[in-house]
Amino acid sequence: MNSFYFCNLCIFVYISGLFIWTRGVLGLICHCDYHCPDDHVNFTCQTNYKCFKTRQFEEGTKNIVERHGCIGNREGEGMFQCRSEKTKFKTPMQLQCCDDQDICNWHLTPTIPQQHIDEYHFNLEKTNGEAPTNNHAQGLALAISISICAMILFIIVAYMGFRCAQIKAKHKSQKKRRFVIPHGTAPVDSMHELLLDGNHSSGTGSGKPQMTQRTIAHQLTFLEEIGRGRFAIVYKTKWKDQFFATKVVRSFDEASWKNELEIFEKCNLSHENVLGYVGGDVLESTPGQEVQRLIISSYHEFGTLHRFLLNHSYDVNVLFRLVYTALSGIVHLHRDFLGSQGKPKLAHRNITSKNIYVKDDLQCCIGDFGLAVAQPEDGPLNLRQNPRLPTSRYMPPDMLADLSRIEMQSFDTFQRGDMYSFGLCLWEMILRYEVKATPEEYSLPYTEYLKKNPNEPEYTEMRRLVTVEKKRCQLPQRYHEDQHSRFLMRLINGCWHEQPTMRVTALRMRASLEKYLQERSKSEGSGESTSSVGTAASLGTASTGLS
């Protein structure tokens, strides 16, 4: 048994020795394509040491070539070559050896160090007279350049922004605005500081207020928005310790803004029942924002008549105070005064409860003259400069019937149209009158008939209601049973006549109202004269009769 194992061992040792001898004598088979022996077959060679693969630049170019072949171990030369993988050559080269299997050098991947490649490229370009393109240095230079450019650009932009802000502030502080403040229309006593002369108009309309140039618009502080419409936004503003109402007209309604300024400045509107005018201004805008066109007027805490009626009801004294003072404002507009500083007749053309304001003493004043027209001395009216139409809800039937002919209407027709519109405002005021201590809920005219858009009815819908169906606003029966509201309803009917020439004038309507109030005073034994009608003494103070 032991002899058997010994025989097998001997055979194994013999075969192993034979293999080693054969490998050493016959050699390792390698892929060969560079300096191959003359007897090579199919791009192969045999060696008793190792196979190799190199990557090397062609001398004088940037082309890289790969070479395969055999390395012998004659006197240790092959061992020295295979250990020189990190040797730096004049022309960068990398050699890699193997002996693990035949054709092992086919899959070798020798890599030339990047530093050797950069240096070779630099020297090559220098030799050829070209600008060096060291990739690493170039990338670093590019990064530094971009950083410097970005920093310079930031400094330039910051400096330009700073200079623009300086120029804008300087321009704002130094520019002269067109700002007109008429005597007698200052809404508060402290506005006297802005006037050259302390004399004021009596408010009778007998003279045209003097005007002086001022620049206070840039000193206004905007506090809060108090009203908004399609054509303007109204803000509560402050100058020193006084409040004002500042209307900012939208850019597409510039014609109305110009018209309102002209009416205020060229016509004598100095009257206690006309909104106090302070001035107009244009604030230059920054790029991308619209120009702000301002109209600055007196501020009244109650706001518009529309807003006042929404929040308050009242007794008969307050009712007559509101009606009489609003009517007095319209009378002042419709009348003319002769003289060198006289006043022409005016037609408001847009009387609504949102264009009448309630003062702290419960007197009304007329405002918003964007559509107003003055009676021309000779020739027809010119409405082409302002194509905007009045509020559809308050337009009289004769104008709703043919909107295209509005500009062809006579001046008297426009004044009679004001009376139709005022009749609707009077109807609104009666609604909040407390008959038997109970008022009606506030409502805008014709709301009960409007189905599509009761807040902003279209002109076609209002034409159908007023001209075709001949609808008119109605009051509950209990108002017909009250003598005061019954009298006011007779005045309203005089305003709503189909034919403009048949409508009552403002002056005649006020005379009728004064007569009624005088008779009422006598019947109640008060003995108040007509001249006191509309004052706090005859119609109640601001705190009397208001709920």
Side-chain angles (χ1 to χ4, degrees):
M1 192 68 174
N2 292 332
S3 301
F4 175 76
Y5 285 116
F6 179 75
C7 289
N8 288 338
L9 180 61
C10 291
I11 294 172
F12 176 76
V13 172
Y14 173 77
I15 294 174
S16 299
L18 182 63
F19 174 77
I20 293 172
W21 177 84
T22 303
R23 179 70 177 268
V25 175
L26 298 180
L28 178 68
I29 299 175
C30 306
H31 177 68
C32 181
D33 57 18
Y34 177 70
H35 284 220
C36 299
D38 296 336
D39 58 347
H40 76 280
V41 180
N42 295 330
F43 296 99
T44 61
C45 61
Q46 292 182 336
T47 182
N48 62 349
Y49 186 53
K50 292 186 180 183
C51 304
F52 76 88
K53 180 177 181 179
T54 63
R55 286 173 58 85
Q56 184 177 17
F57 283 96
E58 287 186 343
E59 188 172 357
T61 71
K62 296 182 180 181
N63 299 327
I64 296 178
V65 295
E66 295 181 349
R67 291 167 179 161
H68 306 76
C70 300
I71 294 180
N73 196 20
R74 185 179 58 184
E75 297 179 357
E77 179 182 352
M79 185 180 298
F80 174 76
Q81 289 178 340
C82 286
R83 289 181 179 178
S84 63
E85 293 182 359
K86 297 183 179 180
T87 302
K88 183 177 180 181
F89 299 91
K90 180 179 179 181
T91 300
M93 181 191 74
Q94 189 67 18
L95 179 142
Q96 192 172 359
C97 301
C98 66
D99 61 356
D100 53 335
Q101 62 181 8
D102 290 339
I103 316 298
C104 62
N105 61 341
W106 180 260
H107 302 290
L108 295 178
T109 56
T111 303
I112 303 175
Q114 184 63 43
Q115 182 180 358
H116 295 178
I117 295 175
D118 294 341
E119 292 178 358
Y120 173 74
H121 284 174
F122 181 83
N123 294 330
L124 180 64
E125 292 165 359
K126 185 176 181 181
T127 301
N128 295 335
E130 300 176 6
T133 57
N134 187 307
N135 291 341
H136 180 71
Q138 187 180 43
L140 181 61
L142 181 62
I144 294 174
S145 300
I146 292 176
S147 301
I148 294 175
C149 291
M151 185 178 298
I152 293 174
L153 181 62
F154 173 78
I155 293 173
I156 292 174
V157 171
Y159 176 75
M160 290 179 63
F162 174 73
R163 286 294 298 160
C164 288
Q166 273 190 330
I167 293 172
K168 184 178 178 181
K170 183 177 180 181
H171 178 70
K172 184 177 180 181
S173 63
Q174 292 182 353
K175 70 177 182 178
K176 299 298 182 180
R177 289 183 173 85
R178 176 175 170 274
F179 192 85
V180 181
I181 301 178
H183 288 277
T185 58
V188 288
D189 292 339
S190 69
M191 289 300 293
H192 293 221
E193 302 172 15
L194 300 176
L195 304 177
L196 296 179
D197 182 10
N199 297 327
H200 289 265
S201 168
S202 62
T204 62
S206 59
K208 183 177 180 180
Q210 298 178 357
M211 300 181 181
T212 181
Q213 297 289 334
R214 294 296 176 188
T215 57
I216 65 166
H218 62 287
Q219 301 178 28
L220 289 174
T221 301
F222 285 73
L223 301 178
E224 61 177 323
E225 180 182 318
I226 56 176
R228 176 182 289 264
R230 287 187 301 164
F231 302 98
I233 304 175
V234 182
Y235 295 92
K236 180 181 180 181
T237 57
K238 187 176 182 179
W239 179 78
K240 293 189 177 180
D241 58 345
Q242 302 298 328
F243 298 108
F244 303 93
T246 300
K247 179 166 67 173
V248 180
V249 181
R250 299 184 187 275
S251 58
F252 57 80
D253 198 29
E254 180 182 0
S256 296
W257 175 79
K258 289 182 177 179
N259 186 75
E260 186 162 7
L261 284 187
E262 185 176 355
I263 292 294
F264 270 125
E265 295 174 2
K266 292 186 177 181
C267 303
N268 179 16
L269 296 186
S270 177
H271 192 275
E272 62 181 349
N273 299 125
V274 175
L275 184 65
Y277 171 66
V278 178
D281 200 1
V282 175
L283 295 181
E284 296 181 0
S285 62
T286 57
Q289 295 182 349
E290 63 181 36
V291 175
Q292 292 184 326
R293 294 175 174 84
L294 311 182
I295 294 179
I296 306 169
S297 60
S298 55
Y299 172 75
H300 303 296
E301 187 68 32
F302 283 126
T304 64
L305 178 63
H306 169 77
R307 176 181 166 188
F308 177 81
L309 297 177
L310 274 172
N311 300 304
H312 300 283
S313 60
Y314 36 76
D315 63 12
V316 67
N317 290 325
V318 176
L319 170 64
F320 280 122
R321 185 175 180 81
L322 295 173
V323 174
Y324 182 83
T325 53
L327 185 56
S328 295
I330 297 176
V331 169
H332 181 71
L333 296 180
H334 285 191
R335 294 178 64 183
D336 62 341
F337 301 97
L338 302 178
S340 59
Q341 294 183 336
K343 167 193 167 296
K345 292 182 179 180
L346 297 172
H348 189 281
R349 294 186 62 227
N350 199 23
I351 296 288
T352 72
S353 58
K354 293 183 180 180
N355 290 339
I356 300 175
Y357 298 86
V358 180
K359 300 163 71 172
D360 293 342
D361 60 358
L362 298 183
Q363 291 195 59
C364 288
C365 57
I366 311 297
D368 296 281
F369 296 94
L371 298 182
V373 292
Q375 184 181 34
E377 295 181 0
D378 52 6
L381 291 171
N382 182 14
L383 303 181
R384 295 184 181 275
Q385 296 180 354
N386 189 359
R388 177 182 150 196
L389 292 174
T391 307
S392 62
R393 189 190 302 270
Y394 292 85
M395 284 184 69
D398 49 295
M399 296 185 186
L400 283 171
D402 191 356
L403 296 176
S404 63
R405 295 178 58 85
I406 285 183
E407 62 186 33
M408 301 176 63
Q409 301 286 350
S410 66
F411 179 79
D412 183 67
T413 301
F414 286 128
Q415 284 198 333
R416 300 300 177 104
D418 285 350
M419 297 311 298
Y420 172 88
S421 303
F422 179 70
L424 292 174
C425 296
L426 180 52
W427 176 85
E428 295 176 67
M429 288 186 267
I430 296 175
L431 276 184
R432 302 299 286 158
Y433 163 45
E434 298 170 350
V435 174
K436 298 180 181 179
T438 305
E440 285 294 309
E441 289 294 326
Y442 175 71
S443 173
L444 286 168
Y446 297 110
T447 299
E448 59 181 320
Y449 302 117
L450 296 169
K451 305 302 180 184
K452 286 186 178 180
N453 190 357
N455 294 324
E456 292 186 10
E458 297 179 355
Y459 291 94
T460 54
E461 189 174 11
M462 289 306 303
R463 182 188 301 118
R464 175 183 57 82
L465 285 176
V466 177
T467 64
V468 179
E469 299 179 7
K470 300 188 182 305
K471 298 288 188 181
R472 296 294 184 271
C473 297
Q474 303 296 325
L475 287 168
Q477 181 59 35
R478 60 193 182 91
Y479 284 94
H480 293 268
E481 299 171 356
D482 179 83
Q483 62 171 342
H484 305 305
S485 57
R486 190 166 57 245
F487 165 75
L488 293 177
M489 289 168 62
R490 288 201 300 269
L491 297 182
I492 290 176
N493 290 333
C495 296
W496 288 350
H497 201 282
E498 192 79 17
Q499 295 299 323
T501 55
M502 300 297 292
R503 294 177 195 146
V504 64
T505 65
L507 194 59
R508 183 178 177 183
M509 185 175 181
R510 188 175 70 171
S512 299
L513 182 58
E514 287 176 347
K515 182 179 178 181
Y516 178 82
L517 292 174
Q518 188 176 30
E519 293 175 353
R520 173 175 174 259
S521 296
K522 290 180 179 180
S523 65
E524 294 178 357
S526 63
E528 295 290 346
S529 64
T530 305
S531 62
S532 65
V533 173
T535 64
S538 62
L539 295 179
T541 64
S543 60
T544 302
L546 182 64
S547 301

